[in-house]
Amino acid sequence: MRQQVYLDHSATTPVHPKVFEVMSPYFVERFGNPSSIHKTGQSVRIPIEDARANVAMALHTDPSRIVFTSGGTESDYLAIVGLAFANKDKGNHIIVSEIEHSAVMQATDFLKKFGFEITYLSVDNYGKINIEELKSQLREETILISVMFVNNEIGTIQPIEEIGKIARENDIYFHTDAVQAFPIIDIDVSSLPIDLLTISSHKINGPKGIGALYVRKGVKLLPLIGGSQERSRRGGTENVPGIIGFGEACRILIENRDEKAKRLAEFKEKMIKIWKESIGENYFVINGHPTDVVPSILNVSFLGVDSHTMIMTLDMKGIAVSGGSACAAGALDISRVIKALNLPQDVTRSAIRISFGLGNTEEQIEKAAKEIAHIVKSRMGKRK
Ligand SMILES: *Cc1c(COP(=O)(O)O)cnc(C)c1O
C-alpha cells in the first residue's frame, strides 16, 4: 500500500525509477557470478567496477577504498568489530557517542563480550557531543572513536573534522556512520580526517540490502565474513543487482544533491511557517541543533500530543511519519536518542520525526502540516 504522503525518508526511500531500470537486466539476463571464468560471469565484472567508481566518486576517493556490504548495519559492524579485532594488540578501549545508531551500539555491545571497554560520550540538549569530554576520555588503550556524522532521529550534525583531528593527533582510528549525512552533504574523505565511513544505498533512493564502507588506505580490518570477494575484505558472492543500483543511485545523487538539499530545506521552512501561523510558537518545539542540522530531518514536539497518538492519527489520514528510528517506532518506548537530550518531559513524550525526500511535493507538505495543526488544535480544545 502506498500512503498519500510519505514523510519517513530517514527510515527508507523509494527506489528511483532510473535505478530500478538500470538494475533490472541483472536479475534474469545478466545473472552471472563475477568470480566465474566464463563470459556469463566475467561480463558482470566491469559493471560492478563502474558502480564502485560511482560510489567512490561520491565520496571523493579511489574505488579500491570502497567495500560493498549488505548495508549500513554491516558496514558499522565491519568498521567497529573488524577494526577492534585487527588492532587488539594496541588497546581495548573504544569511544562512541550515546546517540549512535543501534548498529553501532550492538557492535560495541558485541565487543564488550571479548574484553573491550566502551565509553559513551554524552550529548547536549541539541544532540552535540562535547569536544572537551572527548579529550578527557582518551586513554593510552584507546584504539577507535566512532561518532555519527548526522543523527538519524534529530538531524544534528557533529563536528566531524574536529573529532577526526583529535583522533589523528592521538594515533586513534576514527569511524563515522554517515548514512544520514550522505544523502545531503558532499563528504570529501580525501580532505577530512576520517579512516572509516559507513553509507547505505536505501537511504539515497537505491535498493535495500546494499551499502558500503570506506576504508582509508593502510587501515587494517579483520574480515567478519571470509572469502576472496571485495579484495578479501568481505566474502560472499556479490549482490550484483544491488551494487549496480547503488552505483546508479550515487551517480544521480552527485548530480542532484545540492538542488535536493535546497528543496528539502524549503519544505522544512514551509511546515514550520504553517505551524507558527496556525498553532502558535508556544505550542511546539523543534528538537535537534538549530543550525547544524540537515534539511531532510525535522524532529518536533507538539506539546500535549504524545508521539504515538500523533503518529497513529496521521497514519489514518495517509501520512507517514515516525517516532524516531524505524526500529524504535514499532515499540511504544520513548526514543533513546530523545531521552539523551535531557529535555522537559512533555517535550520528550511528544517528539515525532518528519523526514523529507525526493518524491515529496509542496502540496504534500502543506497537507501534512495542516493535518498536524488540526490534530494539535483539536487536542488543545479537549483539554479546556
Ligand atoms: C538506516 C541507518 C543505518 C542502517 O542501514 P541499513 O542499510 O538499513 O542496515 C545505520 N545508521 C544510520 C544512521 C541509519 O540511518
Side-chain angles (χ1 to χ4, degrees), residues 241-305:
I243 290 171
I244 302 297
F246 190 17
E248 179 66 9
C250 284
R251 192 190 65 73
I252 296 168
L253 180 70
I254 297 170
E255 269 181 18
N256 299 338
R257 182 154 38 194
D258 291 352
E259 194 190 320
K260 168 176 145 186
K262 221 173 101 197
R263 194 168 146 81
L264 303 192
E266 285 164 12
F267 288 162
K268 192 191 266 198
E269 252 173 61
K270 190 182 177 86
M271 273 204 155
I272 296 170
K273 183 164 176 272
I274 290 174
W275 296 331
K276 277 185 181 164
E277 289 165 4
S278 56
I279 310 170
E281 277 183 72
N282 296 335
Y283 296 96
F284 70 95
V285 179
I286 311 270
N287 305 310
H289 200 278
T291 52
D292 293 339
V293 64
V294 285
S296 42
I297 298 174
L298 171 55
N299 194 303
V300 55
S301 296
F302 295 95
L303 306 177
V305 187

Side-chain angles (χ1 to χ4, degrees), residues 92-363:
N92 69 340
H93 181 233
I94 294 169
I95 301 175
V96 302
S97 87
E98 63 173 341
I99 60 165
E100 292 303 305
H101 188 268
S102 57
V104 168
M105 293 301 189
Q106 305 269 341
T108 49
D109 281 351
F110 175 82
L111 286 174
K112 281 185 199 164
K113 297 181 182 135
F114 296 90
F116 287 91
E117 287 175 23
I118 317 296
T119 295
Y120 301 91
L121 300 175
S122 66
V123 294
D124 63 17
N125 301 148
Y126 296 139
K128 277 229 193 193
I129 67 147
N130 180 325
I131 291 289
E132 293 312 312
E133 187 191 353
L134 169 64
K135 285 182 186 163
S136 75
Q137 293 296 338
L138 299 176
R139 301 182 198 166
E140 195 61 39
E141 308 79 45
T142 311
I143 52 172
L144 174 68
I145 299 170
S146 179
V147 175
M148 69 203 313
F149 208 127
V150 167
N151 181 269
N152 50 304
E153 294 189 34
I154 53 176
T156 297
I157 304 169
Q158 299 292 349
I160 290 304
E161 192 161 3
E162 246 180 297
I163 301 168
K165 269 189 195 149
I166 291 167
R168 278 276 158 88
E169 284 162 14
N170 291 279
D171 247 328
I172 296 165
Y173 291 108
F174 177 43
H175 165 250
T176 187
D177 177 332
V179 172
Q180 298 290 343
F182 191 52
I184 300 293
I185 299 170
D186 184 10
I187 305 167
D188 183 350
V189 293
S190 72
S191 67
L192 284 167
I194 295 169
D195 298 306
L196 297 154
L197 179 137
T198 294
I199 55 175
S200 174
S201 157
H202 75 103
K203 308 288 173 86
I204 61 157
N205 303 95
K208 294 171 183 59
I210 184 80
L213 180 68
Y214 157 77
V215 183
R216 181 173 294 281
K217 197 168 179 168
V219 176
K220 286 204 176 61
L221 299 177
L222 183 78
L224 305 184
I225 303 171
S228 61
Q229 292 88 354
E230 298 299 301
R231 298 167 164 235
S232 300
R233 295 172 295 189
R234 199 277 189 181
T237 300
E238 292 85 345
N239 172 358
V240 180
I243 290 171
I244 302 297
F246 190 17
E248 179 66 9
C250 284
R251 192 190 65 73
I252 296 168
L253 180 70
I254 297 170
E255 269 181 18
N256 299 338
R257 182 154 38 194
D258 291 352
E259 194 190 320
K260 168 176 145 186
K262 221 173 101 197
R263 194 168 146 81
L264 303 192
E266 285 164 12
F267 288 162
K268 192 191 266 198
E269 252 173 61
K270 190 182 177 86
M271 273 204 155
I272 296 170
K273 183 164 176 272
I274 290 174
W275 296 331
K276 277 185 181 164
E277 289 165 4
S278 56
I279 310 170
E281 277 183 72
N282 296 335
Y283 296 96
F284 70 95
V285 179
I286 311 270
N287 305 310
H289 200 278
T291 52
D292 293 339
V293 64
V294 285
S296 42
I297 298 174
L298 171 55
N299 194 303
V300 55
S301 296
F302 295 95
L303 306 177
V305 187
D306 72 83
S307 316
H308 193 248
T309 304
M310 180 64 93
I311 294 162
M312 297 316 282
T313 313
L314 286 171
D315 190 35
M316 284 188 292
K317 307 272 183 191
I319 299 166
V321 303
S322 107
S325 69
C327 332
L332 290 179
D333 298 353
I334 285 168
S335 135
R336 152 178 78 73
V337 172
I338 298 295
K339 269 189 203 157
L341 304 180
N342 266 315
L343 302 169
Q345 208 191 356
D346 53 342
V347 177
T348 301
R349 285 184 40 145
S350 57
I352 62 165
R353 178 187 69 185
I354 297 168
S355 48
F356 310 105
L358 275 188
N360 291 140
T361 63
E362 211 155 313
E363 293 72 44

Side-chain angles (χ1 to χ4, degrees), residues 26-102:
Y26 291 88
F27 288 97
V28 178
E29 298 145 44
R30 308 190 68 178
F31 62 88
N33 182 330
S35 298
S36 301
I37 285 169
H38 48 66
K39 287 194 189 68
T40 302
Q42 286 297 306
S43 70
V44 300
R45 288 189 78 101
I46 289 172
I48 287 179
E49 292 317 310
D50 287 347
R52 193 188 307 277
N54 280 339
V55 177
M57 202 191 306
L59 293 172
H60 306 269
T61 188
D62 188 83
S64 65
R65 300 293 100 223
I66 300 297
V67 180
F68 286 120
T69 66
S70 66
T73 303
E74 190 189 324
S75 293
D76 283 344
Y77 258 79
L78 178 57
I80 294 167
V81 178
L83 186 119
F85 279 110
N87 292 277
K88 68 174 176 359
D89 56 321
K90 297 196 185 95
N92 69 340
H93 181 233
I94 294 169
I95 301 175
V96 302
S97 87
E98 63 173 341
I99 60 165
E100 292 303 305
H101 188 268
S102 57

